[in-house]
Amino acid sequence: MSNLLDIDNLTVTFPTNNGPIDVVKGISLSLGRERLGIVGESGSGKSMTGRAILKLIRSPGRVKADRLSFDGIDLLTRRERDMRAIRGARISMVMQDPKFSLNPVMSVGDQIAEAIKTHQRLSPSQVRAKTLAMLKSVRIEDPERVLGLYPHEVSGGMGQRIMIAMMLVPEPDLLIADEPTSALDVSVQAQVLDIIDNLVTSKGMGLILISHDLNLVASYCDRILVMRAGEIVEECAANKLHAAQHPYTKGLLASMPRIDEDREWLPVFERTSGSQT
Amino acid sequence: MGWAVNKNDDTAIAASQTEALSRYFARAVQVGTAFAKFVATIAVTFLGLAALTFFIGRVVPIDPVLAMVGDRASNEVYEAAKIEMGLDRPIPLQFVSYIWDVLNGNFGLSISTRQPVIEDLIRVFPATLEMATLGIIIGIVIGVPMGVTAAAHRGSWLDQVIRTVGLLGYSIPAFWLGLVGLAIFYARLRWTGGPGRIDVFFDGMIPPVTGMLLIDTLIAGEIDVFWNAVSHLVLPATILGFFSLAYIARMTRSFMLDQLSQEYVTTARVKGVPEFFVIWRHAFKPIRIQLITVISLSYAGLLEGSVMIETIFSWPGIGNYLTTALLNADMNAVLGSTLVIGAVFIFINKFSDVMYRILDPRARS
Amino acid sequence: MIISKQWLLDDAPKSRTQAQLGRLYVVCLQLAHNPLAVIGAIIIGGLIITALFAPWIATHSPIAQDLSNRLLPPSSTHWMGTDELGRDIWSRVVFGSQITLTIVMLVAVIAAPLGLVVGAIAGYFGGWADRVLMSITDIFLSMPKLILALAFVAALGPGIENAIIAIAITSWPAYARIARAETLTIRNAEFVQAVKLQGASSTRIIARHILPLCTSSMIVRVTLDMAGIILTAAGLGFIGLGAQPPLPEWGAMISRGRVFILDQWWVATMPGFAIILVSLGFCFLGDGLRDVLDPKHGSE
Ligand SMILES: Nc1ncnc2c1ncn2[C@@H]1O[C@H](COP(=O)(O)OP(=O)(O)O)[C@@H](O)[C@H]1O
Ligand SMILES: [Mg+2]
C-alpha cells in the first residue's frame, strides 16, 4: 500500500526584521491511512506544518521541500488553481476555535452547503439532505434548526461539531485537526474527539491530530511525532511513549499531572530561542 | 387585522395564536423602543445643534444685531431688528424662543433674497441632493472595488497606486479641482456642460416637481433637456465622487485587510473555495455593514464638499446659497443653512447606526 | 553628556530624557524604512525651510506690483508667471508658506491641548463631568467641520486670525475623543493607582502621567488632520473669509486667479500645486507615523 502523504525536508520560512527565520526546519514524515499525532509546545511550528501541507502559508511566508506528495500527487508543482480541487475535497482541516473560524455573517447551513457545492454538482435538495445527514453524524439532534443559526448563536462544542461536519462533508481522504479542542470546555473535549475518531475510523481516512497535549494525542493516535522549535525530536508509537528517548519528550511526560500527584510545582520548560509565540 | 381570528372557539388554535400574538407584540415593543430611542437621540443631538447655532449667532458676535443686519443698515432697521430678535430679553429666554422658532421652521428672513430662509432652503436643497447622490454613486461604484482590489493585492504596485489616489483625495482642494476641471473638460475639450444646472436657453422650461432636474425633465418628457442637464451635472458630480471615492476606497481597503487576516477566511480557503469567492463572499460580506456607515458618512461629507463645488460651478444648491449668504453677512441664511446641513448630517449618521443594528446578525439577537 | 547610538538604544535608560530621546530615535529609525513617510518628512522639512528663509528663496517681492508685467506666463524670470497685478507668483507662493505654516501650527497649538485636556478630564473623572463634556464634544462632532468653521467665521468676521480660531474650534472635539479613550484605558492601570496611593493630586496625575501617554496617538492624529486644516484654511481664503489681500495666502490666490483660468491658467493652478504638495506631505508623514506609533490601527 502506498503512503497517503509523504513529506521530505519541509521548511517554512518567514522574513523578519532580523533576517529570515525557519519556523519549520526541514522535517520529514509519511502517513498512511492511520492516525498521526503531532505534539509540541505552542510556537513549535505544528500549525505551520499543517498549513504547509495544504499550501496555505500566505506570503511573506515561504515553503520549501524536497518532496510533498499526497496520494501520488506532487503538491509542490501544483498550481494554486489545482490545489483548490484538493483542498476540502481530498485534504481538509479542522481549525482551532469555531468562534473565529466560522464566518460570522453566514448561516451554518450556507457554510456547510458551500463546502459541498465547491466540489460537487448537486441539486439544492440533495445539498440540503447531505448537510442534514452530516450534521446528524456529528451528533446534532435537531439539524433543521441548526441549519438556520449563525455561528454566534451556537456554543463552542456545537460550533466545533459544525466545523467537523463542514470539513468532512466532501469526504476527504486526510483530515488535519489543528488543536480541535483547545478552545473548548473540558466537558465537551472528549465528545468532539470521539466524533472525529469515529468518523475517521469508519471512513478509513488518514488523520493528523495536532495538539500541545501529549496525553490526548496518545489516547487518540497510533503514532506520535514530537516537535520542538520547528524540528521533529521524537517519533514513536503511541503505546511506546514510556520508552521515549528524547529528554524533551521525557520532560513533556514529566510535566503531565498524575492522579497520585504529590509535587507542588509541575516542571516547566526553559524557553528556547527561536520558539516564541 | 390579525386578531379578529382570536374569537375562534378552538382553544388550542386560540392559545397558539395568542402566543404568536404576544411574541409579535414583544417584537413590536422591541422595535418601538429602539425607534423611540432613535428619535430621542436625534432630538437631543438636534437640540445641541440648535444650541450651537444659537451660540454662533447670538453669543459669539460682539454685536449680534450688527452681524444680523450688516453694517450698512440704518439706525431704525438696527433698533427694529434688536427688538425683533428679542435681544432685550435674557439669554435663556432668547434660547427658548429660538428653539421654538426653529421647531416651527422659522429661520427668519434672508436679507439678500428677502424671502423666508426656510423657503429658500427648500428651493435650493434638491439641486445639492441631486449632485451629491450622483457623486456618492460614483464613489461607491469605483471606490469599493478599488479598496477590495488594493487589499487583495496588498503591497503590490496596484495597492500603492490606489493608496496614493486615496491620499490625493485628502490633499486636493475641491475648489481647485473644480476650477481645473472646468478649464479642461468644459472650456478646452467641450466634453461637458459649463457652470449652472442647465443651458440658459432651457431655463424655466421645466416645471419643478421634485426639484431634481434629471427626474423633472423625464417627467416633462424633455429628453433633450435631460441630456443637457446630465452634461452639466456630470463634471461636478464626478469631482465630488472622486472625494468620496478616496475615502471609501481607503476605508474598504483597511476593512478588507482586517477581514483577510481572519481565521474564517482561511477556513474558506481550506474548503477549496475559489479566491474570487473567498474575497467577495467571505471577506467582503462581513464588511458590507461597516461600509454602510462609511458610505453614509461620505454622503453627509459631500454636503460639505458641495459648498466649494457649487461655488465653482454656480450650482444653485445649498452650498452656493450658504457662501452667498456668508459674503453678504446674511446671518439668518447662514445659520439656517448650517442648521439644515447639520440636521441632515445627524440624521444620516443616526440612520446608518440603525441600519447597522438591523443588518448585522450579531447585533440582531 | 555624549549622545551616542548606544546611549540612545540603552535598554535601561537612566533618566526620563534618555528614555524619551531613545524612543524618538527608534521612531525615526523605523520611519526611515517607510519611503512614503520619508517623502512626507522631506516635504514638511521643505515647507519649514521655505517659510523660514522666504526672503532669500523668493526672487521678487510678494506684494510689489508691476502693472507692465501683468499675467506673464511662467518663464526664467518668473518661474510661475505673474498675476493680474504683475506680482511674481513664485515669490507669493514662497511667502504663502509662512501663512500656511502659521495656520497649521496655531491650530495645532490651540486645538490639540484643548482637546487633550477636555478628553483627559472627562475620562479621568467620569460621571457627570464625562457626560457633559462628551455631549458638547459630540455636538461639535455631529457637524461637518467646514460648515461649522464657515458659520464661526461669519459670526466672528473675516480675517486670518478668526479663520484660525474657527478651525481650532472645529478641530478640538476629535482630539477630546481620542484623549478620553486613551485615558479610560490608562486610568485603572496599576501605576496610576500607585501614584494615587502616594497622594498625588488629580491635576498632577493627569498632567504628569496621563497626558504624556496620550501624546503619541495625538501626534498621529494631528499630523493626519493637517491636510484637512490646510484645505479648510485655503477654502476660507478662497471664499474670501480667510486671509485678506494683499496677503499671499494660497486659497485667496486661487480665488483671484479664477477669472483668468481659461487664458492664464498658471495664476490659479500654481498655488493649488503648493497646497496639494504640502497636504500630501502631511498625509504621507501621518500615515507613516501611524504605522510606527499606533500599529493596531495602521494599514501596515
Ligand atoms: N507571519 C509570521 N511571521 C513570522 N513568524 C511567524 C509568522 N507566523 C507564525 N510565525 C512563527 O511561527 C512559529 C510557529 O507557529 P505555529 O506553527 O503557529 O506554532 P504552533 O505549534 O503553536 O501551532 C511561531 O514561533 C511563530 O512565531
Ligand atoms: Mg497552532
Side-chain angles (χ1 to χ4, degrees), chain B residues 96-224:
Chain B
V96 172
S97 70
Y98 176 74
I99 295 291
W100 181 248
D101 281 347
V102 166
L103 285 180
N104 287 302
N106 178 10
F107 300 160
L109 282 184
S110 153
I111 54 168
S112 27
T113 65
R114 311 237 157 257
Q115 288 198 10
V117 169
I118 187 77
E119 283 179 22
D120 284 346
L121 289 175
I122 291 173
R123 184 167 40 78
V124 298
F125 195 70
T128 301
L129 193 65
E130 185 169 38
M131 186 165 81
T133 306
L134 190 60
I136 195 75
I137 291 174
I138 293 172
I140 297 169
V141 167
I142 303 178
V144 171
M146 257 173 79
V148 172
T149 312
H153 302 273
R154 168 196 201 159
S156 69
W157 62 269
L158 198 62
D159 184 23
Q160 300 296 346
V161 168
I162 292 175
R163 274 183 91 177
T164 310
V165 168
L167 289 181
L168 275 177
Y170 288 79
S171 314
I172 301 182
F175 54 91
W176 184 85
L177 195 59
L179 215 50
V180 172
L182 265 183
I184 296 175
F185 295 106
Y186 166 62
R188 212 50 39 101
L189 300 173
R190 294 268 155 204
W191 286 359
T192 66
R197 296 180 80 184
I198 205 167
D199 284 358
V200 215
F201 174 71
F202 295 116
D203 251 355
M205 266 180 62
I206 304 299
V209 181
T210 60
M212 287 185 251
L213 266 184
L214 294 192
I215 299 176
D216 287 355
T217 48
L218 289 181
I219 292 176
E222 298 277 1
I223 298 300
D224 288 354

Side-chain angles (χ1 to χ4, degrees), chain B residues 167 170-171 250, chain C residues 223-224 227 278-288:
Chain B
L167 289 181
Y170 288 79
S171 314
R250 197 175 150 87
Chain C
T223 315
L224 283 171
V278 172
S279 307
L280 209 53
F282 277 112
C283 283
F284 283 161
L285 186 64
D287 247 21

